[in-house]
Amino acid sequence: MKSLSVLVAVAALVAKVSAHYTWPQLIVGGTNTSSWQYVRETNNWQDLNPMTDVSSVDVRCYTSEESGTASTMSVAAGSTVGFTVDGNPSNLYHPGVLNVYMAQAPAGTDVASWDGSGTVWFKIYQISAVTDGGTSITFPATGLTQVTFPIPSETPSGQYLIRIEHIALHVASSFGGAQFYIACAQVEVTNGGTGTPGPLVEFPGEYTGNEPGILIDIYYPIPTSYTQPGPPVWPASGASSPPPVSTTSNAHTTAPTTSTATKVTSTSTASAPSGTGAAQYAQCGGQGFAGPSTCVSPYTCTVVNQYYSQCL
């Protein structure tokens, strides 16, 4: 068993040099915008290399070597947005977990010129690992070509950064081995709610690199449980059910390129659900899942991978 785990780890090291990726496109209203149009261009936009130093300012948006300029997209609170994956290959190739954070720019500050500093970030979405007490550990985010998620309807109106991170854990058994694939998009949330996002955290600062979900050997011995890095998802009601996961379709529509001064408004409206079954974005299938396998109308149980199906 141990020799097998060593071989798996060696294979992961070989893959390390090639399977890298970025998050260049923001998805709004089901449409992929142009690369780096609303997402700040990251240091790895050409070499695709990950960020590994959680004490660096790059753990925030990974833009220290780039201008970071982008347009700001207008989106409604409660609507669904997302990011596409681009790389070699263009999917979340490495086993790992995913977090999405938001941070509101201070009053009177244009988000386009804001660096996201301070205790201002709150988590709105995550895809964690699945364990069964030590027999196996699986990562539902693996293989996704895009990730979509709702902006909480309680989110107050204003300008925000949306920060996405995939933490690849294939060589995370030593300190600094976890690989962070990060990007920040600029949005203006409209029709917002009156919620108070939190808990609020700071980047750098939230991670030390010693967290059990970051410094971890996923191969041997197989972890009996997994602790997701970062604070709980806000709002708390959204953390009690499995997080929504996007499908892995490569199909997309590219929006026309606009200048950095342009703001585009795009919102999506879903039909009212009816009938019985799992709700929109809820899990409806997957290996070991014992819950409902049908969705309320008009949603359909969609296979994401062998471990996770979702009402979309």
Side-chain angles (χ1 to χ4, degrees):
M1 175 64 76
K2 188 171 183 178
S3 60
L4 177 60
S5 67
V6 171
L7 289 175
V8 172
V10 170
L13 284 169
V14 173
K16 177 181 176 182
V17 301
S18 60
H20 294 163
Y21 29 89
T22 61
W23 302 97
Q25 297 174 317
L26 184 67
I27 305 170
V28 179
T31 298
N32 295 7
T33 58
S34 298
S35 294
W36 313 116
Q37 184 180 6
Y38 301 104
V39 180
R40 294 180 174 182
E41 194 171 76
T42 51
N43 295 355
N44 65 338
W45 73 276
Q46 287 183 305
D47 61 30
L48 311 181
N49 287 332
M51 202 285 307
T52 58
D53 181 4
V54 296
S55 67
S56 167
V57 70
D58 274 331
V59 77
R60 192 180 299 152
C61 291
Y62 204 15
T63 57
S64 64
E65 298 175 9
E66 301 299 327
S67 62
T69 57
S71 300
T72 300
M73 172 69 87
S74 184
V75 297
S79 63
T80 297
V81 299
F83 290 80
T84 62
V85 184
D86 183 59
N88 181 25
S90 291
N91 63 61
L92 300 182
Y93 178 88
H94 295 306
V97 298
L98 183 136
N99 291 314
V100 178
Y101 294 84
M102 292 181 68
Q104 185 172 15
T109 300
D110 189 337
V111 69
S113 60
W114 184 51
D115 64 359
S117 58
T119 306
V120 292
W121 297 91
F122 56 97
K123 188 193 291 187
I124 63 167
Y125 177 80
Q126 65 182 26
I127 304 176
S128 192
V130 177
T131 60
D132 57 7
T135 301
S136 67
I137 181 170
T138 55
F139 300 90
T142 303
L144 295 180
T145 61
Q146 62 181 39
V147 174
T148 57
F149 47 88
I151 294 178
S153 59
E154 301 92 333
T155 306
S157 297
Q159 293 193 340
Y160 291 80
L161 291 176
I162 302 179
R163 173 186 178 276
I164 190 167
E165 66 175 11
H166 184 244
I167 309 175
L169 300 172
H170 55 298
V171 287
S173 58
S174 60
F175 183 82
Q179 298 181 352
F180 290 76
Y181 295 90
I182 299 169
C184 289
Q186 298 172 188
V187 300
E188 179 163 3
V189 175
T190 61
N191 302 321
T194 58
T196 303
L200 301 178
V201 299
E202 183 176 9
F203 290 106
E206 174 60 12
Y207 303 149
T208 66
N210 289 302
E211 289 78 6
I214 294 177
L215 180 58
I216 181 174
D217 187 338
I218 63 174
Y219 301 109
Y220 184 86
I222 296 173
T224 59
S225 62
Y226 182 80
T227 303
Q228 185 79 356
V233 170
W234 178 83
S237 59
S240 60
S241 60
V245 183
S246 74
T247 60
T248 58
S249 171
N250 281 306
H252 68 273
T253 303
T254 301
T257 302
T258 62
S259 69
T260 57
T262 302
K263 292 184 180 181
V264 178
T265 301
S266 177
T267 60
S268 59
T269 304
S271 302
S274 62
T276 59
Q280 183 186 21
Y281 299 129
Q283 185 174 4
C284 55
Q287 184 174 310
F289 179 70
S293 58
T294 59
C295 304
V296 296
S297 178
Y299 308 112
T300 302
C301 190
T302 302
V303 176
V304 176
N305 54 42
Q306 70 182 97
Y307 307 106
Y308 202 97
S309 296
Q310 181 191 18
C311 291
L312 297 171

